[in-house]
């Protein structure tokens, strides 16, 4: 039996759908904090079980009968290590054989501050005695697409990424890799994949393409890291999160999110979606 945590999230839903293409729905369990919000998953998963990272005492029973698990990293920055530890402990108690964890590109050597909790989770998995897969995902193109609506309204796309190259891929490609990491299990104790998109782009190129497709002027505005953090705080992000997001953008200028190994497309067996394709899909949804 296969299971996916965070199954109602953007990535989790896609992982469940990708698994369904590889195995019968009866073999798939969607794990969600609020199963009531998971009705759409009934067509892909045989069952939906409640699974709240912040309720450790409930996790073991939710994992009964599961042999392979995709642990999608929590979005509760600052609390993720404790949450992930609860899942790993519950998986051990429930005799789960394999955990595939969605971490960050370049794992140990990434200069991005957000790497820390991913590194701590990887350490916990190494110490757990469980077999594991580290899916070290690069950025999602959708991370940038999320800024298109205000950019189209204001004519400005702010960031601190300079002309750094970004090897991002669409969520669907990362989701397919996560599903295949369970299906194509060779019995190894440890597998590590550095996953990124086939074609790198700069944010200047991304914004120019979005402007062209939308037929509206958008300017990429490269800001000093402190100014970008202040702007994100103004937009409503908590100061600590705004600082981390701004820092991740700033180190992108030094190619922190660049990778030309094409390991993702090799793994999934086809080219990754381009940023131009993802922009087109997003603009169609916004229309």
């Amino acid at each position: 039996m296969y299971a996916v945590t965070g199954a109602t999230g953007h990535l989790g839903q896609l992982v469940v759908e990708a698994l369904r293409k590889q195995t019968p729905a009866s073999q798939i369990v969607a794990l969600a904090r609020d199963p009531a919000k998971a009705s759409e998953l009934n067509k892909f998963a045989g069952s939906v079980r409640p699974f709240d990272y912040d309720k450790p005492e409930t996790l073991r029973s939710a994992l009964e009968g599961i042999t392979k698990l995709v642990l999608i990293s929590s979005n509760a920055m600052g609390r993720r290590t404790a949450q992930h530890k609860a899942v790993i402990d519950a998986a051990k108690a429930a005799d789960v054989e394999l955990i595939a964890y969605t971490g960050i590109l370049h794992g140990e050597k990434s200069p991005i501050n957000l790497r820390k909790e991913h590194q701590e989770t990887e350490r916990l998995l190494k110490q757990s005695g469980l077999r594991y897969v580290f899916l070290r995902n690069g950025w999602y193109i959708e991370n940038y697409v999320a800024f298109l609506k205000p950019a189209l309204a204001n004519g400005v796309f702010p960031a601190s990424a300079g002309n750094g190259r970004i090897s991002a891929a669409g969520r669907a490609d990362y989701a397919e890799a996560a599903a295949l990491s369970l299906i194509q299990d060779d019995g190894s104790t440890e597998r590590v994949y550095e996953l990124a998109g086939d074609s790198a782009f700069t944010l200047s190129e991304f914004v120019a393409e979005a402007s062209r497709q939308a037929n509206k002027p958008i300017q990429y505005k490269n800001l000093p890291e402190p100014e970008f953090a202040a702007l994100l705080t103004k937009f409503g992000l908590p100061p600590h999160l705004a600082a981390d997001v701004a820092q991740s953008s700033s180190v992108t200028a030094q190619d922190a999110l660049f990778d030309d190994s094409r390991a993702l497309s090799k793994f999934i067996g086809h080219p990754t979606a381009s940023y131009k394709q993802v922009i087109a899909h997003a603009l169609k949804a916004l229309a």
Side-chain angles (χ1 to χ4, degrees), residues 241-258:
L241 179 55
D244 279 342
V245 171
Q247 190 270 345
S248 68
S249 183
S250 179
V251 296
T252 298
Q254 285 76 52
D255 288 348
L257 291 172
F258 176 72

Side-chain angles (χ1 to χ4, degrees), residues 134 163 206 254 281:
F134 293 158
N163 289 312
F206 179 92
Q254 285 76 52
H281 180 76

